Amino acid sequence: MTDATLTESRDEAKTAEWWRQAAVYQIYPRSFADANGDGLGDIPGILSRVDYLADLGIDAVWLSPFYPSELADGGYDVADYRNVDPRLGTLDDFDAMVEALHARGIHVIVDIVPNHSSDQHAWFQEALAAGRGSEARERYIFRDGKGPDGSEPPTDWVSVFGGPAWQRVEDGQWYFHHFATEQPDFNWNHPDVREDFLKTLRFWSDRGVDGFRIDVAHMLTKDLTEPLPSRAELEAMDSTTGVHPITDRDDVHEVYAEWRKVFNSYDPPRTAVAEAWVATPERRARYASAEGLGQAFNFDLLEADFDAPEFRAIIDENLAQSRLSGSSTTWVLSNHDVTRHATRYGLAPLRGRDVKQGTEWVAAGGPADMLDRDRGLRRAKAATLLLLGLPGSAYLYQGEELGLHEVAEIAPEQRQDPAFFRGAEFDGLGRDGCRVPLPWSADGVSFGFGSAPAHLPQPAWFADHAVDAEAADPASTLSLYREALRLRHPLQTGETLEWVETGRADVLRFVRPNGWQVVTNFGTEPFDLGADAADVVLSSAPLAGSALPGEASVWIAPASLLS
Ligand code: NOJ
């Protein structure tokens, strides 16, 4: 091999592995930008904001579902996997958006929802019409009910959003839905289902999509051989055996091995990231293997308090885990399913998402008088700088770059999330508060989101976070994100870190292989950086001399890295 071919092949490898330490920005399309003035964000809206995305400095966008959908679960109820919801645009609009993003060096990841379809999907409608015992019903999970007249569901299982996991249809049979009633689960033992998803992956790959985010990747395959266990028996089962009836089964990896062949038939290979809520790091690593999806979400920081020992333990564990899978890890503080991190950090300490204080939920924005907005945002910026300094890829959620808080002030009749209506103990108020359309300008009918009122109400305080106001302010959250994402490119280095002892339990400091350092002060007492203060290239709050204030982070880098 000549030097030239060696360099070329290294470059190719670099291209194929673009995802390993990418900063990926999640777009929730219906709430990003509305180009046609119907109150719903759309694909032309995204196209109109490509410059904004390029200026932000991200490496990729991940689009939550934009497919035809009755919106029973914000688009995660897909009626047609190979099309664009007419309210959001056309396939031509999609192609134009991909082309514009690629032209700015931004990769495109789309969401694939393989566990369930919408009840409006042609196959489910066919299954309903064809009746019991038909071939068409085999693509889903239909069963007869219990009791003399079959009027009781086959089991007492509950759905993730609350309420029974079985729904009765007109002829008396029942179908299984892990999520909302409008989201019937597919039968992954059926060859049509397997074949159709391969077709879908090829369809989007052929249109130039670079990667896929796989919704509830651990749930697809099931063993529903009779007799089915009761809810209590199901919940008592060990989910790490690989043979649990409905979750994290070993046989799901046969599906992903087939998908991998499709991904690898493209140049560069298409990437995938699994949303897999499984019990152990070892079980998660299987989804991230090179023979499988290649990467899996790590939600540990998203579930953690703003707490130095907790962050350090999570970072160590996940870096060890990525060594196990050969993949890179993923860091997430916010997404469309959880309370925004600026708000989480401004509330009383939480453990996970299921915290109640008395009868009051605090995890989903909580009563406004319990929220310390400034403190929450201060901590959020500190945590984000830490996250962007870690080895691995960083997933950012639209609006966090504006320092948005969760919107708590949405009346019940304006809410859309099925988790809210089905009474699931799922972040209390449901997930609408993090899905409110973005403010692009400080005024206008929907703060520049579009020319009509937005589909979820935007509070007056959104004006303070509008893109136009923040873009003009060097001290804004947006300016901090832009600078961090800009600097992250020249600073990026090998996928390891070493901890540097600080003598303080509430201050974390680590150094990357090239000398790039991150220091985060989780406490409230200032931390003296000494002579290193001269090499600070970015800070989430102004330093006082050489002192890093409480609840703040800095990046320290030798000048040579940036020259
Ligand atoms: C996970 C998605 O992130 C969430 O928004 C959705 O409700 C469920 N999967 C069901 O598709």
Side-chain angles (χ1 to χ4, degrees):
M1 204 182 251
T2 65
D3 278 358
T5 34
L6 197 64
T7 314
E8 225 169 75
S9 69
R10 276 199 196 118
D11 284 346
E12 276 165 18
K14 207 172 158 202
T15 311
E17 304 240 300
W18 63 266
W19 51 273
R20 291 193 72 95
Q21 304 212 66
V24 184
Y25 180 85
Q26 181 189 355
I27 293 181
Y28 192 75
R30 291 177 178 81
S31 298
F32 187 69
D34 169 22
N36 67 357
D38 64 356
L40 218 52
D42 44 39
I43 303 277
I46 300 173
L47 181 61
S48 74
R49 300 292 179 181
V50 166
D51 283 348
Y52 173 79
L53 296 167
D55 290 347
L56 191 54
I58 46 155
D59 304 300
V61 291
W62 147 33
L63 266 56
S64 279
F66 48 82
Y67 315 109
S69 168
E70 64 182 313
L71 301 186
D73 180 21
Y76 283 88
D77 47 323
V78 179
D80 178 355
Y81 289 86
R82 296 185 287 275
N83 216 334
V84 174
D85 189 320
R87 287 166 294 183
L88 270 65
T90 62
L91 282 168
D92 285 345
D93 292 332
F94 181 85
D95 293 343
M97 177 198 69
V98 171
E99 197 184 327
L101 288 165
H102 281 171
R104 306 302 295 267
I106 300 172
H107 294 91
V108 180
I109 296 174
V110 300
D111 221 308
I112 296 291
V113 190
N115 178 67
H116 44 266
S117 71
S118 155
D119 61 359
Q120 301 304 306
H121 190 284
W123 278 358
F124 192 75
Q125 289 300 314
E126 188 187 336
L128 289 184
R132 53 174 71 226
S134 62
E135 265 295 303
R137 288 217 170 165
E138 291 300 312
R139 298 191 187 111
Y140 291 90
I141 301 170
F142 278 89
R143 290 280 187 283
D144 289 330
K146 289 206 303 207
D149 56 355
S151 63
E152 291 165 34
T155 66
D156 59 350
W157 300 353
V158 286
S159 82
V160 172
F161 294 148
W166 297 92
Q167 175 70 20
R168 199 166 197 203
V169 302
E170 239 172 51
D171 59 28
Q173 271 205 311
W174 297 77
Y175 68 87
F176 178 68
H177 57 93
H178 223 127
F179 293 90
T181 313
E182 298 86 351
Q183 291 169 298
D185 279 39
F186 280 119
N187 168 16
W188 271 87
N189 288 328
H190 200 295
D192 285 0
V193 173
R194 293 191 180 224
E195 199 42 55
D196 200 62
F197 274 92
L198 295 176
K199 199 168 160 188
T200 295
L201 297 173
R202 286 194 204 99
F203 179 87
W204 294 109
S205 298
D206 288 344
R207 300 194 100 87
V209 156
D210 304 284
F212 301 94
R213 177 264 188 191
I214 312 304
D215 192 68
V216 291
H218 57 301
M219 284 186 171
L220 278 48
T221 55
K222 297 168 181 90
D223 177 8
L224 297 183
T225 319
E226 308 279 346
L228 295 173
S230 68
R231 176 185 178 185
E233 286 164 344
L234 190 72
E235 285 174 359
M237 283 178 185
D238 181 355
S239 65
T240 63
T241 56
V243 292
H244 188 279
I246 58 169
T247 192
D248 193 20
R249 295 173 53 77
D250 284 346
D251 54 15
V252 79
H253 297 290
E254 292 162 20
V255 172
Y256 300 133
E258 272 190 282
W259 289 20
R260 177 47 58 189
K261 285 188 205 142
V262 173
F263 300 151
N264 288 354
S265 70
Y266 289 87
D267 180 23
R270 297 330 190 213
T271 69
V273 56
E275 187 213 18
W277 296 89
V278 297
T280 65
E282 291 74 19
R283 299 290 307 171
R284 192 198 292 162
R286 307 189 68 192
Y287 293 83
S289 77
E291 301 74 44
L293 294 174
Q295 207 180 31
F297 276 121
N298 141 30
F299 294 121
D300 300 347
L301 285 185
L302 172 151
E303 296 195 305
D305 283 327
F306 186 74
D307 176 81
E310 203 175 338
F311 264 59
R312 181 167 171 162
I314 287 170
I315 292 165
D316 281 341
E317 182 179 301
N318 281 286
L319 291 179
Q321 200 188 123
S322 54
R323 284 193 290 277
L324 204 71
S325 65
S327 180
S328 61
T329 192
T330 58
W331 303 109
V332 193
L333 289 168
S334 280
N335 66 25
H336 66 297
D337 286 332
V338 297
T339 304
R340 287 186 178 278
H341 64 288
T343 301
R344 292 200 310 269
Y345 294 154
L347 290 165
L350 302 172
R351 289 274 172 257
R353 53 175 63 171
D354 50 355
V355 174
K356 264 182 177 173
Q357 290 194 349
T359 55
E360 201 77 81
W361 281 95
V362 294
D369 59 1
M370 285 177 57
L371 173 63
D372 183 337
R373 286 177 176 265
D374 292 345
R375 179 174 221 203
L377 183 53
R378 196 160 63 234
R379 290 171 154 195
K381 290 197 284 194
T384 299
L385 273 205
L386 184 155
L387 170 127
L388 289 172
L390 287 170
S393 45
Y395 282 77
L396 308 171
Y397 176 53
Q398 69 175 42
E400 67 169 83
E401 78 279 18
L402 305 174
L404 287 186
H405 276 283
E406 190 81 1
V407 180
E409 50 274 58
I410 306 175
E413 63 276 14
Q414 294 170 312
R415 290 194 175 266
Q416 302 173 4
D417 185 2
F420 175 77
F421 294 106
R422 290 177 67 92
E425 297 210 341
F426 195 114
D427 259 12
L429 290 174
R431 301 163 296 173
D432 294 314
C434 64
R435 299 174 176 183
V436 175
L438 292 190
W440 292 92
S441 58
D443 45 31
V445 60
S446 53
F447 297 107
F449 168 69
S451 56
H455 67 98
L456 278 169
Q458 299 160 300
W461 53 262
F462 259 34
D464 301 337
H465 297 269
V467 171
D468 64 355
E470 293 210 18
D473 175 4
S476 68
T477 309
L478 179 58
S479 297
L480 179 71
Y481 270 71
R482 283 182 173 166
E483 191 57 2
L485 289 161
R486 188 184 70 79
L487 289 173
R488 196 171 177 268
H489 287 120
L491 292 177
Q492 200 50 273
T493 176
E495 289 176 32
T496 56
L497 61 72
E498 265 181 46
W499 293 105
V500 179
E501 287 314 322
T502 62
R504 286 248 314 251
D506 57 358
V507 178
L508 293 185
R509 179 175 194 148
F510 61 81
V511 58
R512 300 286 301 277
N514 59 355
W516 172 23
Q517 291 190 57
V518 177
V519 187
T520 302
N521 184 354
F522 288 80
T524 47
E525 287 302 307
F527 176 77
D528 190 18
L529 296 168
D532 285 332
D535 286 337
V536 166
V537 292
L538 189 63
S539 68
S540 68
L543 300 190
S546 61
L548 174 64
E551 303 179 326
S553 289
V554 283
W555 287 2
I556 298 170
S560 58
L561 290 182
L562 296 173
S563 54

